Amino acid sequence: MKKTLPINEFVLRAKSGEISVEEHTQKILEEIKKSNPTYHYFNSVSEQLALAQAKELQKIVKEKKPGGKLFGVPVSVKDCICVKGVESTAGSKILEGYVPVFDATVVVRAIKEGAIIIGKTSQDEFGFGTFSTNTAPEKTPLNPFERERSCGGSSGGSAGYTAFSVFSHASIAESTGGSIACPASFCGAVGITPTYGRVSRYGLMDYASSLDKIGCISKTVQESALLLQCISGHDALDSTSLKNPVVDFSPDFLSAKNLRVGIVKEFFGAAVDKKVSDVVWGAVKKLESAGVKVEETSMPLNAKYGVSAYYLIAVSEASTNLARYCGMRYGLHGELEGNFDEYFSKVRSAGFSKEAKRRIILGTFARMSGFRDAFYLRAMKARTSLIKEFAGAFKKFDAIVHPAMPIVAPKFSKIKKLSPLQHYAMDLCTVPANLAGVRLNISRKGFQSEKKA
Ligand code: GLN
């Protein structure tokens, strides 16, 4: 990981005029333009918007009135989160050319704190994936440590660029079942998937509405805590957003002493690569020496049923959410020909990738009358049991620790050989917390690919 000026120090220096926000913005845009043809971290770069914002902020410095916790900080935004005036496609062909006329609430909030929006980061189409390979090849981000390896997914561009950039920067990302934890761990970045409802989803293109959460990826824990604080809070535009007051999240991780932490033994089993478990045990030892009380615990239901329950619920919700991209209301349009069914099929066949189609078909099947009880509703019942298992664990522990991914960042050549079920099985450790809606933190010395750049 390249060393950069931490965001809080950057903000102080930008406000004092010691660092020129305009120059810093120009430099980061140059870095993106130079690296993107090879690394594909961005689906679109919002150069004009960023430069205009930087100019405005520089004026404020001259007038000596700078405010905002993210003053002048370049912030990238996952492609599935709407940014006004900037093409936002969620990594899908069906949304190519879509330019939102409004900002997502998180974008409004970040800008209010002085953030500069530099572009939309690459991802698996609509978040469907674990390696950011379910999108066009020229939009698949490459791991900054070794280019033949994946950045993880689905927020691959956010994590990859965070690890790649030499400039102060943070990214607004999204997770449904692990899309922040996975790429953060594969790129050696920090990720935080907040509690469901903590951050407004207004302006997020839905994948599975009962699971989707907007969160942060950055180089350090403090930076993610700061960005999360800026984008959190109730929003009248999202009825699922929590009314809990927004607090300064930073002290949370400074007082580790006497915390009780449970180590979930099932997530250190045969499915987890020894390279990964060794790193996690190393981190556990550090926690112990910092005064944390560590104890082994068990979450058998989550380990056994998490992936199946997640994939049934996620694809069921996705199949209804994607119904809106029908060729009339949103997204790609075609020549109006044939009857409606023929027209819809033609547009959707052309606009969705193979993986999106697979999920639409699976999800529609799982919700169909006659199958609904056996699949969707059964998965929802299982989810309740999995949540109860978490509730039980949190009676005893303040936090639960386990690996994020069972493997280190794999090579693309290996990913190509995986079946869809093998892809889904990779989410073993990330889906439980996402199903339960609890917060998921990924610490930075995670599971980077073996060789450092
Ligand atoms: N890999 C998971 C999936 O494909 C997670 C995706 C996500 O969190 N957006 O569903």
Side-chain angles (χ1 to χ4, degrees):
M1 175 90 67
K2 290 159 193 161
K3 237 190 149 37
T4 58
L5 192 61
I7 285 179
N8 55 352
E9 278 180 43
F10 172 88
V11 169
L12 287 177
R13 294 199 202 173
K15 282 180 179 173
S16 73
E18 198 185 318
I19 290 178
S20 155
V21 173
E22 267 184 298
E23 267 172 38
H24 187 260
T25 309
Q26 272 154 5
K27 280 191 197 150
I28 198 166
L29 289 169
E30 266 158 39
E31 181 188 65
I32 296 169
K33 278 198 268 178
K34 230 164 120 191
S35 58
N36 221 38
T38 307
Y39 285 94
H40 318 146
Y41 296 133
F42 287 84
N43 284 352
S44 50
V45 183
S46 47
E47 186 171 7
Q48 277 182 337
L49 171 69
L51 290 175
Q53 286 177 319
K55 205 170 169 187
E56 272 308 299
L57 293 181
Q58 209 51 52
K59 256 199 242 157
I60 298 175
V61 173
K62 284 198 192 118
E63 290 159 11
K64 300 208 181 332
K65 282 185 296 201
K69 295 184 182 67
L70 298 171
F71 189 86
V73 176
V75 169
S76 59
V77 180
K78 188 173 177 177
D79 205 16
C80 57
I81 300 167
C82 290
V83 175
K84 188 175 165 182
V86 182
E87 188 185 44
S88 300
T89 70
S92 180
K93 198 173 163 210
I94 211 154
L95 277 170
E96 262 173 26
Y98 170 60
V99 178
V101 291
F102 70 106
D103 280 322
T105 296
V106 287
V107 174
V108 173
R109 288 183 176 168
I111 292 175
K112 216 166 142 202
E113 293 292 347
I116 292 179
I117 306 300
I118 52 173
K120 308 300 307 293
T121 53
S122 49
Q123 61 165 100
D124 288 290
E125 180 180 18
F126 289 108
F128 302 156
T130 306
F131 304 111
S132 294
T133 45
N134 290 331
T135 188
E138 69 279 9
K139 291 182 176 175
T140 296
L142 311 187
N143 196 297
F145 293 94
E146 272 183 64
R147 274 190 255 168
E148 64 271 30
R149 290 180 189 267
S150 164
C151 280
S154 63
S155 311
S158 289
Y161 184 65
T162 297
F164 178 88
S165 181
V166 298
F167 297 100
S168 305
H169 152 266
S171 195
I172 300 179
E174 175 275 344
S175 171
T176 305
S179 283
I180 290 179
C182 163
S185 78
F186 281 174
C187 296
V190 170
I192 178 158
T193 305
T195 307
Y196 181 80
R198 170 45 97 185
V199 177
S200 163
R201 292 179 296 125
Y202 180 73
L204 169 70
M205 296 166 193
D206 304 309
Y207 166 177
S209 312
S210 78
L211 292 155
D212 297 342
K213 297 158 295 284
I214 294 181
C216 316
I217 294 182
S218 63
K219 281 198 160 132
T220 68
V221 175
Q222 283 85 348
E223 289 172 343
S224 273
L226 177 68
L227 181 57
L228 184 64
Q229 186 186 347
C230 295
I231 62 173
S232 289
H234 179 66
D235 177 13
L237 297 170
D238 174 4
S239 60
T240 62
S241 70
L242 297 170
K243 294 222 163 90
N244 303 22
V246 177
V247 293
D248 177 0
F249 296 119
S250 334
D252 258 13
F253 50 81
L254 296 177
S255 52
K257 223 179 158 111
N258 294 327
L259 274 185
R260 295 155 309 160
V261 166
I263 313 291
V264 188
K265 68 172 186 210
E266 286 84 3
F267 296 137
F268 289 86
V272 178
D273 189 331
K274 193 173 171 305
K275 280 184 209 134
V276 172
S277 38
D278 283 352
V279 174
V280 181
W281 279 119
V284 171
K285 292 268 158 333
K286 279 191 194 153
L287 286 178
E288 273 183 313
S289 50
V292 171
K293 294 195 180 85
V294 173
E295 204 184 297
E296 194 177 271
T297 189
S298 176
M299 297 187 85
L301 295 179
N302 273 282
K304 193 163 175 200
Y305 301 112
V307 171
S308 328
Y310 169 79
Y311 272 96
L312 277 169
I313 296 166
V315 299
S316 298
E317 293 183 15
S319 66
T320 63
N321 277 331
L322 294 189
R324 72 189 62 152
Y325 306 108
C326 65
M328 293 202 122
R329 288 187 291 157
Y330 296 93
L332 196 68
H333 285 55
E335 280 294 309
L336 264 181
E337 272 172 357
N339 63 34
F340 279 139
D341 285 349
E342 283 162 357
Y343 172 73
F344 294 154
S345 298
K346 203 171 109 192
V347 174
R348 285 163 69 83
S349 301
F352 288 129
S353 71
K354 200 168 161 192
E355 183 58 25
K357 286 176 195 154
R358 180 180 292 119
R359 294 186 187 214
I360 292 170
I361 292 168
L362 281 173
T364 307
F365 179 76
R367 289 184 298 108
M368 251 161 68
S369 84
F371 297 103
R372 197 177 151 81
D373 286 2
F375 295 110
Y376 181 65
L377 293 180
R378 201 154 159 215
M380 289 302 276
K381 282 182 194 153
R383 185 180 189 180
T384 306
S385 306
L386 306 187
I387 293 171
K388 278 188 188 151
E389 196 171 65
F390 266 97
F394 282 125
K395 275 193 192 133
K396 203 164 164 202
F397 301 110
D398 299 299
I400 286 163
V401 168
H402 58 72
M405 297 304 289
I407 52 169
V408 293
K411 291 195 171 160
F412 291 110
S413 53
K414 234 185 184 165
I415 296 169
K416 269 195 198 128
K417 294 187 190 135
L418 298 176
S419 69
L421 276 182
Q422 283 170 320
H423 273 248
Y424 302 163
M426 292 292 166
D427 299 339
L428 169 78
C429 306
T430 55
V431 289
N434 278 277
L435 276 171
V438 298
R439 195 171 79 185
L440 193 59
N441 297 332
I442 300 304
S443 86
R444 147 166 187 207
K445 295 260 158 32
F447 326 108
Q448 352 184 304
S449 65
E450 295 114 307
K451 217 167 75 189
K452 283 191 187 169

